Amino acid sequence: MPMLSLLLCLIFLTYIIALSSGHLHSCRSYCGNITIDYPFALRYGCGHPGFRDLLFCINDVLMFHVSSGSYRVLDIDYAYQALTLHEPHMSTCDKIFLGGRGNGFAVEPWRKPYMNPTPDNVFMLIGCSADSPLFHGFPGKNLPCRNVSGLGCEEYYGCPAWEMLGHKRVGPESSFLGSGPPECCAVPFEMIKAINLSRLGCEGYSSAYNLAPLRVDGPKGWSYGIRLRYSVQGNDGFCAACEATGGTCGFGSDGIRQICMCGSSNSTSNCDSVSLSSSDAARAMMRKMFGGPLACILLWMTAIWIWI
């Protein structure tokens, strides 16, 4: 009988602890070797609302998902507010992917104020049709193709991947197929706002970015990937004030309103402003947690006395 009473008490305490912990907000802080910090998060309700439903951790691999598809996150640079993404069907210096298999890059209109490829990121569109909207309004060879931060198709043509496709450069004009469009056209993201291979009528693409002076080995030494610049819109100081008072930055169930998570309570400013009613609720929970063990001890001792 005493053992049965003790077992019932333990079950009761486990329930109380589980109930109380369910009110606590925990925001996961890593995926593999990548730290996840504000404004990003893996759990819904954490981070900044402008970055919700963006990152997912799958088998310790951090994935970035937007309207154009899913990308692997190689790095998050919080100091420079930048992310580096990789897409498996993006062409590089060693291999060119054709057939429109690549994702390209585009974000939902409501996300555009929060993130876009950096100005030093070049997109090199490959095998675009002469009917591509990319070339509309540019008669003859006066095309929108250009170098971006020293990166462009003229050097990219020197990559081994082009030779594997049977393309060879014989002069500065060799990038043009007769009077048609070039085999490769380099553009900054800002010029066309979205890299949609199907809409642009292109067979493939490559993306590279420049963080430092170009290396002497040319396109073989370029950094291939998509480099995004992100920014927090609205009240930039909200999260700092929240964390300074011991809170965790997040957003409400509407997916828009920023909140400061303070243990079992939420605040629209910081944890110092948590209402009295929330404090009363917290004290009630503490009474449950500490009152439960006391009741269990009394019950157990009574059971022992009766048994004896």
Side-chain angles (χ1 to χ4, degrees):
M1 181 67 180
M3 291 302 297
L4 179 60
S5 299
L6 180 59
L7 179 60
L8 291 174
C9 281
L10 290 175
I11 294 174
F12 174 71
L13 288 176
T14 302
Y15 170 76
I16 289 295
I17 291 172
L19 183 65
S20 62
S21 62
H23 292 274
L24 299 178
H25 297 273
S26 59
C27 296
R28 189 178 180 183
S29 60
Y30 65 92
C31 178
N33 62 350
I34 299 179
T35 300
I36 313 299
D37 204 350
Y38 185 84
F40 304 103
L42 295 175
R43 178 175 173 177
Y44 188 85
C46 295
H48 189 280
F51 300 86
R52 68 181 186 271
D53 300 325
L54 186 67
L55 298 183
F56 300 89
C57 189
I58 304 173
N59 296 326
D60 285 334
V61 175
L62 187 61
M63 300 299 295
F64 174 101
H65 185 77
V66 286
S67 60
S68 57
S70 295
Y71 308 78
R72 180 171 182 171
V73 180
L74 301 181
D75 176 66
I76 301 179
D77 190 332
Y78 293 98
Y80 290 93
Q81 295 189 318
L83 294 90
T84 305
L85 308 179
H86 170 72
E87 202 260 294
H89 290 128
M90 176 194 300
S91 298
T92 62
C93 200
D94 298 318
K95 189 169 184 177
I96 289 179
F97 293 92
L98 299 177
R101 290 182 289 169
N103 288 339
F105 187 79
V107 300
E108 299 86 342
W110 70 269
R111 286 200 196 274
K112 289 183 178 180
Y114 299 99
M115 67 194 73
N116 276 297
T118 60
D120 59 12
N121 197 122
V122 61
F123 286 90
M124 292 172 284
L125 301 167
I126 301 169
C128 300
S129 165
D131 296 326
S132 169
L134 186 67
F135 306 129
H136 289 178
F138 297 91
K141 295 180 181 180
N142 184 24
L143 299 176
C145 314
R146 66 193 68 174
N147 282 4
V148 179
S149 296
L151 309 175
C153 289
E154 283 302 315
E155 284 192 284
Y156 186 53
Y157 284 133
C159 285
W162 286 97
E163 295 183 8
M164 293 174 64
L165 288 177
H167 299 273
K168 295 183 179 180
R169 293 181 63 198
V170 294
E173 297 298 320
S174 64
S175 58
F176 293 87
L177 298 175
S179 59
E183 296 169 275
C184 172
C185 180
V187 294
F189 184 83
E190 182 61 26
M191 190 183 76
I192 55 178
K193 307 297 184 182
I195 307 298
N196 185 319
L197 298 186
S198 177
R199 186 178 65 82
L200 293 173
C202 301
E203 288 290 313
Y205 81 106
S206 181
S207 176
Y209 55 92
N210 179 21
L211 296 180
L214 293 182
R215 301 178 183 179
V216 294
D217 50 356
K220 291 182 180 180
W222 290 354
S223 296
Y224 290 90
I226 301 174
R227 182 83 169 171
L228 297 183
R229 177 65 54 81
Y230 69 85
S231 63
V232 177
Q233 304 293 310
N235 186 3
D236 293 344
F238 177 87
C239 186
C242 173
E243 291 183 340
T245 56
T248 301
C249 309
F251 54 89
S253 58
D254 59 1
I256 300 174
R257 179 175 50 91
Q258 286 184 277
I259 61 171
C260 182
M261 297 182 285
C262 310
S264 59
S265 304
N266 295 332
S267 170
T268 55
S269 55
N270 57 65
C271 292
D272 287 344
S273 64
V274 174
S275 66
L276 182 61
S277 60
S278 297
S279 299
D280 291 342
R283 283 195 291 271
M285 183 60 68
M286 292 298 290
R287 284 197 296 271
K288 287 182 181 179
M289 293 181 65
F290 288 102
L294 180 59
C296 276
I297 292 172
L298 292 175
L299 177 62
W300 185 53
M301 290 178 68
T302 302
I304 292 177
W305 182 80
I306 295 174
W307 184 262
I308 295 174

